[in-house]
Amino acid sequence: MTFKKILCLVFALALMVSVMSACGGSESKKPVTNSANGSSEDGTVSFLTPSVDPDSIYADPNWSPYTSMPASSKGATVRVAHWTDLTQSAFFNSPLKTIYNDIGINVEMYLVKNDGYVNEIMTKMAAGDIPDVFKTNEYNAAFPITLQIAAPINKVSSIDLNDPIWDQTMIKSSTIDGNTYYLTTVGYPGGNGNFVFFNKRLFEENSIKSPTDYYAEGTWSWDNFLKCAKEIKMLGSDYRGAYVNMEVLAGSVGTSITKYDFNTHQFTSGLDDSELLKAYQWFADARAQGVLDATLTHFISGKAGLYVYGPHGLQKDGKWKEMDPNDIGFTYLPSFEEGKTGIMSSVYGALGIIDGAPNADAAGYFIRYYMDPKNWNLNDAFITVEAGNFFYEIAKTPVGDKYFNFDDALTFLMGLTDADVAFYNKLRKIPSEGMNTALQSLANIVDEACIKANDIINNKIVEDRQ
């Protein structure tokens, strides 16, 4: 989605200002590295907690969202549709171990393929096999595709949207025609974002100025990202500079090939955006210099300097699990202007309740419990305590200040596997001077993708008005 800053946030957001201040996408943030910066004093992961109005019911120490749980929810089994068995994940499983003893709800994984996630669920739903909870994330599990299976959460009795634990900017962002479809909490450990990983050992042993050094002095830019990549590449013929995803690069300046407007709830083409052209021309120039040639294997083996990736890299069972955690550095996305950080580029990571879910109320209690960071064993979830605290520096960026890209989801609607096939592969080898022409050549498929996406939204509005 095209997440420009969302103005006029609802009252509950004001309650969370204390934990979300100084984190807008265009402002400089406190430098955070996997050293002492960002660590809690007692050596534990310090997660975000919402501010609570002292005059509200939520300030009562005896208040609990589970106190009035009906008998129909106690002992119910909530089926969670996911492509991964979360019970077997070192990162995601800790709330699943305690939820039954704490609130009496059973959890069963409803495994479906990541590729074709929504389509597979819809096929099973048509046969009467309906799960309770879905994940909205990337590819075929992204908005607006997941909207087809989403129930209006505001109509589920176990969900209190005024509860200060909910990220009110997500509620604002995922509310269409008065109905809310996705939820995330303040401090949810499974949230999304993109940032820069780098190999600390390579930088330190070769006396190369690191991304966090640039960041600390306020000069962390895409040009200095490129400078770092060049210096690593010069270490030898078997070294690679960096990997950066084109969509994240564009997202760091708040743009993408397809755009979503939260006011109109419609997708439009972003091909004429000058910021998109600037980002992709930078990519073309950097690629021509031969420094954007790193792969996942290069980075894991210690032969690449920088890798743009998401929070899975901070998780203990994530992408870098084979690496020495002490070699892994991380910092914010750069911008094209020194003194600012890039906009937090992300995917729409949240949970929702499936339309027709047999245990919708129990699903509401499950989502509240599962997304509460208090129920996570966070010290064992991240590669290091510092990584966990960096994640929570990232998490201070509210949903409304992130930039969400749905190119993958829209191209899936066109019958293509992802945006690489539809867009990026056609642009990766285009020289800078030919980039605008190449972008304009995508106009027909972009317009068609937007029409299909808007049809889903418009049909959902009509359906849920009835």
Side-chain angles (χ1 to χ4, degrees), residues 77-88 96 106-114 116-135 141 149 351-352 354-359 366:
T77 297
V78 173
R79 297 200 297 167
V80 180
H82 207 285
W83 49 92
T84 300
D85 185 349
L86 301 180
T87 65
Q88 302 303 309
L96 302 178
N106 296 290
V107 178
E108 179 183 306
M109 296 307 303
Y110 182 99
L111 295 176
V112 291
K113 296 177 182 176
N114 190 1
Y117 176 79
V118 170
N119 289 355
E120 186 174 344
I121 292 174
M122 290 176 70
T123 298
K124 293 185 175 184
M125 289 173 66
D129 183 13
I130 306 175
D132 300 297
V133 175
F134 70 90
K135 167 79 171 175
I149 61 172
L351 295 179
I354 292 178
D355 200 8
N359 293 298
F366 164 81

Side-chain angles (χ1 to χ4, degrees), residues 120-334:
E120 186 174 344
I121 292 174
M122 290 176 70
T123 298
K124 293 185 175 184
M125 289 173 66
D129 183 13
I130 306 175
D132 300 297
V133 175
F134 70 90
K135 167 79 171 175
T136 187
N137 194 9
E138 299 177 275
Y139 303 108
N140 184 234
F143 176 87
I145 301 175
T146 49
L147 193 62
Q148 297 172 102
I149 61 172
I153 288 177
N154 49 292
K155 296 180 180 179
V156 176
S157 64
S158 57
I159 297 290
D160 174 9
L161 293 181
N162 294 314
D163 185 340
I165 197 171
W166 303 121
D167 185 333
Q168 294 294 326
T169 62
M170 171 60 83
I171 290 175
K172 174 80 171 180
S173 302
S174 68
T175 297
I176 301 172
D177 194 48
N179 286 316
T180 302
Y181 295 96
Y182 308 105
L183 287 173
T184 192
T185 57
V186 176
Y188 170 51
N192 283 295
N194 284 285
F195 31 94
V196 176
F197 289 91
F198 64 97
N199 189 306
K200 288 179 63 181
R201 184 185 299 272
L202 284 181
F203 282 87
E204 292 173 357
E205 290 185 350
N206 294 282
S207 300
I208 298 172
K209 189 174 181 179
S210 76
T212 48
D213 293 332
Y214 285 106
Y215 189 90
E217 67 181 26
T219 59
W220 183 225
S221 65
W222 282 111
D223 285 341
N224 283 328
F225 175 99
L226 190 60
K227 182 180 179 182
C228 289
K230 289 178 179 178
E231 291 181 277
I232 294 295
K233 177 101 172 169
M234 291 173 62
L235 295 177
S237 59
D238 56 341
Y239 286 88
R240 301 291 186 273
Y243 168 81
V244 57
N245 187 303
M246 292 183 77
E247 63 180 289
V248 175
L249 174 67
S252 75
V253 292
T255 190
S256 53
I257 288 176
T258 62
K259 292 187 172 185
Y260 181 74
D261 186 317
F262 285 103
N263 295 314
T264 64
H265 306 301
Q266 297 291 284
F267 281 92
T268 56
S269 170
L271 295 176
D272 292 329
D273 192 326
S274 61
E275 292 297 305
L276 182 73
L277 179 60
K278 178 176 72 174
Y280 285 178
Q281 286 180 327
W282 178 94
F283 180 90
D285 290 337
R287 184 195 59 78
Q289 296 175 52
V291 293
L292 300 184
D293 55 351
T295 66
L296 184 66
T297 301
H298 292 136
F299 191 81
I300 292 174
S301 63
K303 295 296 184 180
L306 307 102
Y307 203 97
V308 176
Y309 192 58
H312 193 217
L314 297 173
Q315 297 165 11
K316 184 168 289 187
D317 59 350
K319 285 291 187 184
W320 321 134
K321 61 185 177 183
E322 299 174 10
M323 296 179 66
D324 182 341
N326 296 315
D327 289 347
I328 304 171
F330 29 77
T331 194
Y332 295 93
L333 289 176

Side-chain angles (χ1 to χ4, degrees), residues 42-76:
D42 60 358
T44 61
V45 174
S46 181
F47 57 84
L48 297 180
T49 56
S51 294
V52 179
D53 182 346
D55 296 324
S56 70
I57 61 169
Y58 310 106
D60 183 342
N62 295 318
W63 177 83
S64 168
Y66 314 110
T67 299
S68 58
M69 185 186 297
S72 58
S73 292
K74 282 276 189 180

